[in-house]
Amino acid sequence: MGLLAYLKTQFMVHLLIGFVFVVSGLVINFVQLCTLVLWPVNKQLYRRLNCRLAYSLWSQLVMLLEWWSCTECTLFTDQATVDRFGKEHVVIILNHNFEIDFLCGWTMCERFGVLGSSKVLAKRELLYVPLIGWTWYFLEIVFCKRKWEEDRNTVIEGLERLSDYPEYMWFLLYCEGTRFTEKKHRVSMEVAISKGLPVLKYHLLPRTKGFTTAVQCLRGTVTAVYDVTLNFRGNKNPSLLGILYGKKYEADMCVRRFPLEDIPLDEKEAAQWLHKLYQEKDALQEMYNQKGVFPGQQFKPRRRPWTLLNFVCWATVLLSPLFSCVLGVFASGSPLLILTFLGFVGAASFGVRRLIGVTEIEKGSSYGNQEFKKKE
């Protein structure tokens, strides 16, 4: 085992990475708070600044995927679609099967220059998660309770605010509403059968309200829908903790572009279009499981150095005073100071582990276990 491989497995190294992410995130959140004074004066300047601030935080996670674990991402699509990446506002539909599916999506956002301006329709619980939810709040992320009667006005207002967004925006939708588990899949397919819809093998029944509303509200802004179907070679089930330990994965993403004008204006017809899309996604996953590849030409967009440089800059600024402080604590010989420092290390470890836990499937919400039995 080489030195770098050894370091990737060490708890203290993980703790230092977590320290840089958390402290830089708090600094970024404070600066974002200060930028609120710009909103009534120059809304577009506020948005551009916050895109760059968010990039400085999210790119640290992308750095872990690209440079720390050296995970490779391959696109299966066509040249015409690749040529449009990062040059138009789009809605992204991504399957929600893996703990790091969001990170693979962010990697593609970063490589095509839209990481800072990426958006998502997120569950409201995430708003209260430190760093993640706070950063999203300043980015005008649309949050929902996943109860359409309560969400309708909030979602519509949030989407309409984005109609004049100054940076190219990729708006992510997890139409399944929650991560795939066998229990949720079983309940979901019971609902599909009761509604006369085809049974899906690899996906949950898509929730259509969020999709049809997003398409309606963003017409005139968004020009296309990108359907993205993600899987990992070797039947791997990657995790953020695995990425932190330096495990390398190989992600394959099948991307299909649908011009927005091809999606029906009528809400019911748009919902039928989405159901048909998920049947096609299911067929793509079946093909991948049989052949090990998706259809289409293969592209491997090159990783850019900015995520690594951003992390190195933050680490240089934050770790130098930390090391000086640690040396001072132990040099003092004070039991109280040393115990206080060790308590801080324990609390920091707990906090970092809780942040990682947000992505873990087994610690996900129970949403979808019973809710599928209710009407949308």
Side-chain angles (χ1 to χ4, degrees):
M1 179 185 292
L3 176 60
L4 182 58
Y6 173 76
L7 290 175
K8 289 179 180 180
T9 65
Q10 298 307 297
F11 168 75
M12 286 307 300
V13 175
H14 301 163
L15 198 58
L16 291 175
I17 292 173
F19 173 82
V20 173
F21 179 76
V22 171
V23 176
S24 65
L26 292 174
V27 172
I28 288 168
N29 286 161
F30 176 74
V31 176
Q32 287 182 302
L33 181 64
C34 295
T35 65
L36 283 175
V37 298
L38 292 173
W39 180 266
V41 180
N42 191 328
K43 181 173 68 174
Q44 303 298 38
L45 177 60
Y46 164 88
R47 286 170 161 173
R48 293 182 187 279
L49 286 175
N50 275 278
C51 282
R52 279 127 189 96
L53 290 168
Y55 178 88
S56 189
L57 185 60
W58 301 148
S59 65
Q60 295 181 48
L61 296 178
V62 174
M63 183 279 300
L64 289 177
L65 187 78
E66 293 184 338
W67 295 94
W68 188 252
S69 78
C70 297
T71 291
E72 296 181 356
C73 294
T74 303
L75 298 179
F76 292 77
T77 186
D78 57 82
Q79 187 63 57
T81 298
V82 172
D83 291 341
R84 290 177 176 269
F85 286 167
K87 300 175 183 176
E88 58 181 347
H89 296 293
V90 298
V91 170
I92 306 283
I93 297 176
L94 178 63
N95 56 306
H96 207 9
N97 300 66
F98 304 99
E99 291 183 10
I100 65 165
D101 46 34
F102 77 97
L103 198 49
C104 292
W106 272 358
T107 296
M108 289 300 107
C109 288
E110 200 289 320
R111 296 186 188 190
F112 292 101
V114 292
L115 176 59
S117 58
S118 61
K119 309 294 178 190
V120 65
L121 181 61
K123 58 184 179 182
R124 188 163 184 82
E125 295 96 314
L126 292 177
L127 174 61
Y128 307 106
V129 176
L131 307 182
I132 298 172
W134 301 345
T135 304
W136 274 353
Y137 172 80
F138 294 110
L139 282 176
E140 304 170 77
I141 293 298
V142 182
F143 293 96
C144 63
K145 299 178 181 178
R146 298 188 289 194
K147 297 179 180 178
W148 185 244
E149 295 76 12
E150 300 178 29
D151 287 332
R152 180 181 176 85
N153 291 336
T154 302
V155 171
I156 290 176
E157 290 172 5
L159 290 169
E160 289 179 344
R161 278 200 304 269
L162 298 175
S163 61
D164 62 342
Y165 209 77
E167 308 253 338
Y168 286 123
M169 169 183 65
W170 285 10
F171 191 98
L172 173 62
L173 288 177
Y174 288 117
C175 293
E176 295 162 271
T178 186
R179 278 201 176 94
F180 183 101
T181 67
E182 291 299 330
K183 182 178 180 180
K184 293 175 182 179
H185 179 253
R186 183 174 64 253
V187 175
S188 175
M189 291 307 99
E190 290 174 1
V191 175
I193 293 171
S194 70
K195 292 185 175 182
L197 295 169
V199 172
L200 302 174
K201 186 176 180 180
Y202 303 102
H203 301 85
L204 306 179
L205 192 67
R207 305 299 185 99
T208 61
K209 293 293 186 183
F211 171 75
T212 56
T213 302
V215 168
Q216 290 172 358
C217 292
L218 294 175
R219 282 189 186 273
T221 301
V222 164
T223 57
V225 170
Y226 292 171
D227 170 52
V228 182
T229 305
L230 170 68
N231 213 324
F232 288 86
R233 297 181 190 178
N235 200 30
K236 296 289 181 63
N237 193 12
S239 65
L240 189 56
L241 201 58
I243 294 295
L244 197 57
Y245 274 88
K247 292 182 180 179
K248 181 178 180 178
Y249 302 102
E250 294 178 293
D252 289 332
M253 308 171 77
C254 180
V255 184
R256 299 183 297 163
R257 183 184 185 275
F258 297 92
L260 203 65
E261 56 266 24
D262 290 352
I263 300 172
L265 288 167
D266 179 75
E267 182 179 348
K268 186 176 181 180
E269 292 180 359
Q272 292 173 347
W273 184 92
L274 184 65
H275 282 300
K276 183 175 181 293
L277 182 78
Y278 267 79
Q279 294 166 32
E280 295 171 357
K281 288 172 75 69
D282 225 46
L284 286 170
Q285 290 285 31
E286 181 68 26
M287 177 185 296
Y288 189 88
N289 286 341
Q290 292 178 359
K291 299 182 178 180
V293 293
F294 287 118
Q297 186 178 352
Q298 295 187 31
F299 297 87
K300 287 191 176 182
R302 295 174 60 184
R303 60 185 181 180
R304 306 192 304 172
W306 313 124
T307 57
L308 182 60
L309 291 174
N310 174 75
F311 180 80
V312 169
C313 288
W314 277 114
T316 302
V317 170
L318 297 176
L319 293 182
S320 297
L322 174 66
F323 291 149
S324 298
C325 178
V326 171
L327 288 174
V329 167
F330 283 96
S332 70
S334 168
L336 180 60
L337 279 178
I338 293 173
L339 288 174
T340 300
F341 171 75
L342 292 176
F344 170 78
V345 171
S349 175
F350 176 77
V352 171
R353 190 64 187 83
R354 286 295 297 270
L355 282 175
I356 293 174
V358 173
T359 69
E360 295 176 346
I361 294 176
E362 63 268 20
K363 295 183 181 178
S365 71
S366 60
Y367 178 79
N369 290 332
Q370 297 297 329
E371 289 81 346
F372 276 110
K373 295 184 177 180
K374 303 176 183 177
K375 291 184 178 180
E376 291 187 59

